[in-house]
Amino acid sequence: MTNAISLLLLAIQVPATAILLSRLLKGPRRHPPIEPQQPTPELLGKVSVVVPTLNEALRISPLLAGLSLQSYEVREIVVVDSNSSDGTPDLVKAMQQKDPRFRVMTDDPLPPGWVGRPWALHNGFLHSSEASEWFLGLDADIQPHPGLVAGLMKTAEAGGYDLVSLSPQFILKYPGECWLQPALLMTLLYRFDPAGIDTQQPERVMANGQCFLCRRSVLAAVGGYSSASSSFCDDVTLARNIAVQGYKVGFLDGAKVLKVRMYEGAMETWKEWGRSLDLKDATSRSQLWGDLWLLFAVQGLPLLIILTYLLISVSLSHSKQTPLIGIETQTRLIASLHTPSLVLLGLNLFLLAIRFGMLLAIAPSYDRQSAKGSWLFWLSPFADPLAVLRIFLSAFRTPREWRGRKYI
C-alpha cells in the first residue's frame, strides 16, 4: 500500500477505533447476567405473557413447555395467531387442557401501515388482562428456563426499570451458521454498548423483542405498539420511543435464563436475520451512516488490510529470490512498507486481536453442544467482511417479505 492510501485508511479507522474502545471500556460496569429465581408472594399474577405466531408448529413446543413451568407470577399466556395453516393453534389448545393460563386468539386482518409482528403484539396487549402490572412479549422460537419470569421481574423491579429486554443464548446446529452467525451478531456489539450497560442516550438504546418486559402502564401511555407499527425492528423502535419519554430502559444478558433457535442454517440466517440487523427503522439517516462507517472501519477492513500486507510481503520475498521485476518496482514495494503503512498494519492487528477477544467474551452466549462443525465458531472473524456487507446491503432496502408475510 502506498503511504497516501495508508494515511487515508488511518483517517477512517483511528476515530472509529477510539469509539469502539470507549464502548468496550464500559464492560466492567455491566450488570451481571440474570439468574433464574423462585417467585415470591408479592409477584402473584403480575405478568401477562403475549406470544405472536404465524406457522410456528415446528418451533413453538419448547416455548409452550417452558412457559408451563413458570410459576404463579404469570397470570395468563395469550398466543396471538395470524391465521397459521400448520396447526400452531392446535398445539396451544392442547397445552390449554393442561394449563388453563394458555389461550389462543386470532388477530384482526393486518391494516395498512402495520407490520405483522407489532400488529399481533398490539392485539395481544389490548386483549390481555388490565390487572397485570407487566406485559411480557416472547417470540415463539425461544426456550425459557424455569425461573425466567421471576428472575426478570425481580431484576426489573430492583433496578427501577420500566422496560427490560434480554439477549439470549443462541443455539447453533450447522457448520455454516457456526461461522456466519457470530459475525452478524458482532455487528451489534461494535455499534452499541454491551448488554448490561444502562445507555443514557435514547437513540442508542438496544432491545430484543424475543424477551421484552414492559410495565403495562408505560405501554398504555405510548399507545401500545402503534408507534412501532411499520417497523421491521419494532423492539428497538418501541424501546427508543419509550426511552425518549424519560422511562428507564434496560438491555441485559439473559443467556442463563433463555435459549433461542432462530434460523436453520447459514442461508436462512443471512436472509432473515441480516434483514433486521441494520436497525434502519429505528435510526436516523445520519446515525445509520455513522454506524455503517464504524462497521466498515473496525470490523470490515482489518482482515482485508492484513491480507493485503501478506500479499505484498510475499511479493517482496519472491522478487528478492527471483528478480523478475525491475529494481524500480522493488524499491516502490519496499517504500510502501514505511512508517504510515506499518502503523496501519499495527492498528489492524490490534483490531483483529480485539475481535478475537470479543469472540471469547461472547462464547457463553452460544450453545454449540450439538452443533456440527462447532469449531468454525472460532473462525467467525474471517466472516466479518461478509457480515458487514450484509448490513450494507439491507441498510437501504425495505423488506418485501418477512416471517411468511408479503408486503407491497
Side-chain angles (χ1 to χ4, degrees):
M1 291 185 187
T2 66
N3 288 336
I5 294 176
S6 297
L7 289 171
L8 175 61
L9 290 172
L10 284 170
I12 293 171
Q13 288 190 291
V14 168
T17 301
I19 293 173
L20 173 63
L21 291 176
S22 71
R23 290 172 180 160
L24 295 180
L25 289 174
K26 297 177 183 179
R29 305 201 307 270
R30 294 176 59 196
H31 293 286
I34 288 184
E35 300 276 354
Q37 296 193 40
Q38 293 296 319
T40 45
E42 71 275 8
L43 300 183
L44 177 65
K46 279 196 171 185
V47 183
S48 288
V49 176
V50 174
V51 181
T53 60
L54 175 59
N55 295 328
E56 300 286 359
L58 296 178
R59 302 196 294 178
I60 198 173
S61 292
L63 170 67
L64 300 179
L67 284 176
S68 70
L69 296 176
Q70 307 302 311
S71 191
Y72 51 73
E73 69 278 8
V74 175
R75 175 186 297 273
E76 60 183 348
I77 302 161
V78 183
V79 177
V80 184
D81 188 71
S82 299
N83 292 292
S84 293
S85 59
D86 66 347
T88 297
D90 295 332
L91 294 175
V92 182
K93 291 174 183 177
M95 182 61 72
Q96 188 177 13
Q97 300 301 314
K98 304 174 184 178
D99 188 337
R101 293 177 298 175
F102 284 90
R103 62 186 171 96
V104 62
M105 59 170 284
T106 302
D107 55 1
D108 295 330
L110 190 66
W114 280 83
V115 173
R117 185 179 183 279
W119 175 243
L121 287 164
H122 186 71
N123 275 268
F125 168 66
L126 295 178
H127 289 86
S128 60
S129 174
E130 295 184 2
S132 297
E133 293 184 26
W134 293 89
F135 169 95
L136 176 58
L138 296 176
D139 276 3
D141 54 7
I142 76 161
Q143 302 177 16
H145 299 325
L148 160 66
V149 179
L152 181 56
M153 286 186 60
K154 289 185 177 182
T155 299
E157 294 188 343
Y161 291 104
D162 298 296
L163 188 162
V164 177
S165 62
L166 301 183
S167 62
Q169 186 180 55
F170 298 96
I171 301 171
L172 299 178
K173 289 186 177 181
Y174 303 113
E177 64 188 84
C178 288
W179 182 67
L180 177 62
Q181 209 266 17
L184 287 169
L185 175 64
M186 200 64 67
T187 65
L188 292 173
L189 302 183
Y190 276 114
R191 286 178 283 167
F192 303 101
D193 289 337
I197 295 295
D198 292 333
T199 302
Q200 302 303 314
Q201 300 170 290
E203 68 274 11
R204 305 306 297 175
V205 161
M206 265 302 296
N208 179 21
Q210 293 169 325
C211 184
F212 192 91
L213 180 74
C214 185
R215 293 186 189 274
R216 184 179 181 86
S217 59
V218 171
L219 200 53
V222 299
Y225 276 77
S226 58
S227 66
S229 61
S230 61
S231 176
F232 287 91
C233 57
D234 56 272
D235 44 8
V236 179
T237 300
L238 183 58
R240 291 179 180 179
N241 290 339
I242 288 173
V244 165
Q245 300 297 320
Y247 297 107
K248 187 175 181 180
V249 175
F251 178 55
L252 306 179
D253 185 348
K256 294 184 178 181
V257 290
L258 75 155
K259 295 182 179 183
V260 62
R261 175 69 183 148
M262 290 178 63
Y263 302 113
E264 295 297 322
M267 290 303 297
E268 191 176 355
T269 300
W270 169 272
K271 178 183 176 183
E272 299 291 350
W273 200 33
R275 241 183 336 206
S276 60
L277 284 176
D278 55 77
L279 305 182
K280 57 179 174 290
D281 295 340
T283 307
S284 69
R285 187 53 61 96
S286 61
Q287 289 173 342
L288 179 60
W289 277 110
D291 287 344
L292 292 175
W293 157 69
L294 183 76
L295 285 180
F296 175 69
V298 298
Q299 188 179 4
L301 280 178
L303 184 64
L304 299 178
I305 290 174
I306 292 170
L307 290 176
T308 300
Y309 268 92
L310 289 176
L311 290 174
I312 292 175
S313 299
V314 169
S315 297
L316 281 172
S317 176
H318 182 71
S319 66
K320 289 179 180 178
Q321 295 175 12
T322 56
L324 299 177
I325 60 175
I327 298 297
E328 182 180 348
T329 302
Q330 292 187 38
T331 302
R332 284 201 303 268
L333 284 171
I334 294 171
S336 72
L337 297 178
H338 283 173
T339 302
S341 298
L342 293 175
V343 171
L344 181 66
L345 175 61
L347 175 63
N348 284 278
L349 288 171
F350 175 64
L351 287 170
L352 189 60
I354 288 177
R355 174 64 173 85
F356 276 99
M358 293 172 69
L359 184 64
L360 185 64
I362 69 167
S365 296
Y366 284 92
D367 179 350
R368 296 173 287 117
Q369 294 182 1
S370 60
K372 300 176 182 177
S374 63
W375 57 273
L376 287 167
F377 171 84
W378 300 108
L379 298 182
S380 64
F382 295 97
D384 279 0
L386 194 62
V388 173
L389 174 63
R390 184 66 184 93
I391 304 303
F392 271 80
L393 290 175
S394 63
F396 304 103
R397 295 180 182 177
T398 300
R400 300 300 180 190
E401 184 178 348
W402 185 256
R403 288 290 195 178
R405 292 182 185 265
K406 294 185 182 296
Y407 299 91
I408 298 175

